[in-house]
Amino acid sequence: MIKQLLGEHKINENEVFNLLSSLSETGAEYSDLYFQHSVAESWVLDEGIVKDGSYNISHGVGARCVSGDKTGFSYSDDLNIKAIKGAVDFAKGISNSNSSKDPEILKTINYPTKYAALSPLDSLTSKEKVDLLREINSIARKEPKVVQVSASLSGAYTEVLIASTDGVYQIDCRPMVRVSVTVIVEHNGRIEQASSGGGGRYDYGYFARNSLAETYTKEALRLAFVALESKDAPAGKMPVILGSGWPGVLLHEAIGHGLEGDFNRKGSSVFSGKVGEKIASDKCTIVDNGTIANRRGSLTIDDEGTPTQETTLIENGILKGYMMDKMNGRLMNKPSTGNGRRESYAHIPMPRMTNTYMLNGKDHFEDMVSSVEDGIYAKNFDGGQVDITSGKFVFSANEAYLIKNGKITTPIKGATLIGAGDEVLHQISMVGDDLKLDPGVGVCGKDGQSVPVGVGQPSLKIDMLTVGGTQL
């Protein structure tokens, strides 16, 4: 698709090389071009009727020159050669470098792919897509307490061509699908809402092959019914057990961002300059892994053409390194770890997470629970806020329970977890053997850019954490 589109504008590999040569005339240490073509759709069913939908096609190119820590960048949503040359001239015009440097000969490397290079939008007919959403509605409506059901199906297919002055000439074809379910239930005048869903780099058949319409719907119902029974959460400092899977979003936000290269190069992260130091409990090993097949956060290559990898960030409590893109890696004398990511051709890349999670420990969930006299079990998370510089966070638990005398008891609502990432790492005393990754719903925001990510963890025990509650 991307080659055909460029071919229509008579842009071949030689022309791309010439454009890179023009970008390099200012003597930039590094320059690149990022061509992108994307097709995306969404279907929304509400009250058994398809009430909303969209279909979008977009394409464009971003041109970038990098000199030291300064970047010249421009983009065009028109792929004719005149428009691209205009973007190139603008980018190199603000790069503030004086000498000239020729680009390396372009070469393509066949890296092992992490997903099929097929558009998911064609994997079901329009009728089959609507039938999938109606199945969700039908399953949910069997429960008499359900008063409203909303379901959505979305898919996208993106092809990118990345060419750079260090010789990269790579194409990547990236599918993405997602299903979301929201139910509202009512009982004795009390109304609660809950959501579920998932996806990844698959075609739409992934949902049918694994009966996921039913799985997601039943999970949304389960969460809603738990909420109907919940009591106000207590407040104070207490032991907290975090569930496996999606609660890894706390690690992503409160710790993962602080391990991205740009924050550490600038010295603005609480983890800056601490490689080789003990920053966590020796039970903690945390990795960022962009190589897991079909995962939402996975990439065959990052948005600078570097193959993704599994990067150990923390090993047995010791900080091992940071996530790098090319620019920050060069400035810190480190190689890129395949974490250069951008939202689209209209954005510059920066160090971003892919799939970030804590590895399994040796503790059993039952032993964690039995070790707590008075605390809470936060099984599922909702939204949260984080100060990346300090690692301080506030997260809401949308499914949580009291732990009394070593047993999980009453469901609670309104529990918020308050702390700082670097402090929490030292408070982890037990790490479970039940690692799970999230179902494929993560979206990460940074500097106005959003990218798909994955999170995960085994269940773990934090010895002491501040819980903000609603109990009077």
Side-chain angles (χ1 to χ4, degrees):
M1 185 165 59
I2 190 71
K3 275 192 171 181
Q4 178 183 346
L5 187 62
L6 293 176
E8 292 173 359
H9 292 281
K10 296 181 172 53
I11 301 172
N12 54 27
E13 186 173 335
N14 288 333
E15 190 62 51
V16 170
F17 184 85
N18 292 334
L19 290 166
L20 287 172
S21 296
S22 180
L23 271 174
S24 302
E25 288 174 353
T26 59
E29 296 169 38
Y30 171 87
S31 300
D32 61 14
L33 293 165
Y34 184 88
F35 298 91
Q36 177 184 340
H37 184 277
S38 297
V39 183
E41 69 173 1
S42 67
W43 302 72
V44 180
L45 182 141
D46 195 8
E47 296 305 293
I49 302 171
V50 176
K51 292 187 176 180
D52 195 9
S54 65
Y55 183 87
N56 299 296
I57 300 175
S58 63
H59 59 249
V61 58
R64 178 175 63 140
C65 295
V66 178
S67 297
D69 63 353
K70 296 180 173 59
T71 297
F73 177 76
S74 184
Y75 70 91
S76 170
D77 56 9
D78 190 338
L79 290 181
N80 74 69
I81 191 64
K82 182 178 180 181
I84 297 174
K85 286 182 176 179
V88 165
D89 288 342
F90 189 84
K92 70 182 183 181
I94 59 175
S95 63
N96 296 321
S97 187
N98 298 316
S99 60
S100 61
K101 183 178 181 181
D102 293 331
E104 297 180 21
I105 299 300
L106 298 177
K107 55 186 178 294
T108 300
I109 300 175
N110 293 321
Y111 298 113
T113 59
K114 308 302 185 294
Y115 29 76
L118 297 172
S119 173
L121 279 66
D122 303 324
S123 59
L124 291 181
T125 66
S126 296
K127 180 180 182 303
E128 289 170 329
K129 295 168 187 176
V130 174
D131 286 346
L132 176 65
L133 296 177
R134 285 178 173 161
E135 179 186 358
I136 291 171
N137 184 71
S138 176
I139 294 169
R141 289 292 178 182
K142 292 178 182 178
E143 294 291 345
K145 295 177 184 177
V146 170
V147 296
Q148 188 171 335
V149 182
S150 178
S152 66
L153 173 70
S154 61
Y157 183 66
T158 298
E159 289 191 4
V160 299
L161 168 61
I162 304 162
S164 61
T165 51
D166 57 2
V168 167
Y169 190 81
Q170 297 288 146
I171 289 178
D172 196 19
C173 306
R174 302 169 175 175
M176 185 72 77
V177 293
R178 179 171 174 176
V179 164
S180 298
V181 183
T182 299
V183 297
I184 297 177
V185 297
E186 181 178 8
H187 182 65
N188 292 335
R190 180 170 176 175
I191 298 174
E192 297 289 349
Q193 175 179 306
S195 300
S196 181
R201 297 194 182 277
Y202 302 94
D203 60 28
Y204 287 136
Y206 166 71
F207 302 116
R209 291 190 297 271
N210 297 282
S211 303
L212 291 176
E214 180 177 9
T215 300
Y216 298 151
T217 307
K218 288 186 174 179
E219 176 64 4
L221 291 169
R222 186 190 69 80
L223 290 169
F225 294 153
V226 168
L228 283 176
E229 300 173 1
S230 62
K231 310 296 183 183
D232 288 336
K237 290 188 174 182
M238 62 190 73
V240 174
I241 294 175
L242 301 183
S244 59
W246 179 245
V249 69
L250 190 152
L251 296 177
H252 168 101
E253 295 288 1
I255 298 161
H257 278 297
L259 298 178
E260 291 169 337
D262 47 355
F263 296 119
N264 289 280
R265 176 179 64 82
K266 297 171 184 177
S268 59
S269 168
V270 69
F271 301 112
S272 295
K274 293 186 178 180
V275 172
E277 296 184 18
K278 185 176 177 62
I279 64 166
S281 159
D282 57 14
K283 289 179 175 282
C284 296
T285 296
I286 299 174
V287 302
D288 183 85
N289 186 357
T291 71
I292 309 172
N294 303 117
R295 292 297 305 177
R296 182 173 171 85
S298 294
L299 293 167
T300 298
I301 54 173
D302 72 0
D303 292 325
E304 296 179 311
T306 306
T308 55
Q309 64 182 48
E310 181 175 345
T311 302
T312 300
L313 303 171
I314 299 172
E315 184 174 32
N316 300 325
I318 305 297
L319 178 59
K320 306 299 289 187
Y322 307 118
M323 291 167 278
M324 294 291 181
D325 63 345
K326 287 182 177 178
M327 185 186 82
N328 288 282
R330 184 172 59 254
L331 293 171
M332 296 181 72
N333 198 28
K334 300 289 183 182
S336 169
T337 55
N339 288 95
R341 304 191 63 188
R342 61 174 96 198
E343 180 177 323
S344 75
Y345 67 88
H347 302 82
I348 61 172
M350 64 182 81
R352 304 292 298 271
M353 286 172 274
T354 57
N355 305 297
T356 311
Y357 52 94
M358 182 180 291
L359 298 188
N360 264 331
K362 298 180 180 180
D363 297 304
H364 302 306
F365 177 74
E366 296 79 8
D367 295 334
M368 292 186 205
V369 175
S370 63
S371 72
V372 175
E373 289 295 316
D374 191 0
I376 70 167
Y377 167 42
K379 185 176 181 179
N380 267 305
F381 276 16
D382 207 344
Q385 294 181 331
V386 177
D387 181 330
I388 293 173
T389 300
S390 67
K392 293 181 179 180
F393 62 82
V394 178
F395 271 89
S396 301
N398 65 349
E399 181 186 6
Y401 303 83
L402 293 176
I403 301 176
K404 295 290 185 182
N405 300 317
K407 296 185 182 298
I408 297 172
T409 60
T410 309
I412 54 176
K413 66 174 182 178
T416 57
L417 307 183
I418 305 167
D422 59 328
E423 296 173 2
V424 165
L425 286 173
H426 289 287
Q427 288 289 320
I428 296 172
S429 61
M430 302 179 79
V431 176
D433 55 3
D434 54 353
L435 169 65
K436 282 173 52 180
L437 300 179
D438 75 280
V441 297
V443 177
C444 174
K446 178 180 174 180
D447 289 351
Q449 294 191 43
S450 295
V451 296
V453 295
V455 302
Q457 66 175 40
S459 54
L460 54 89
K461 179 186 175 184
I462 302 171
D463 281 340
M464 197 62 62
L465 188 62
T466 299
V467 177
T470 53
Q471 193 176 88
L472 298 177

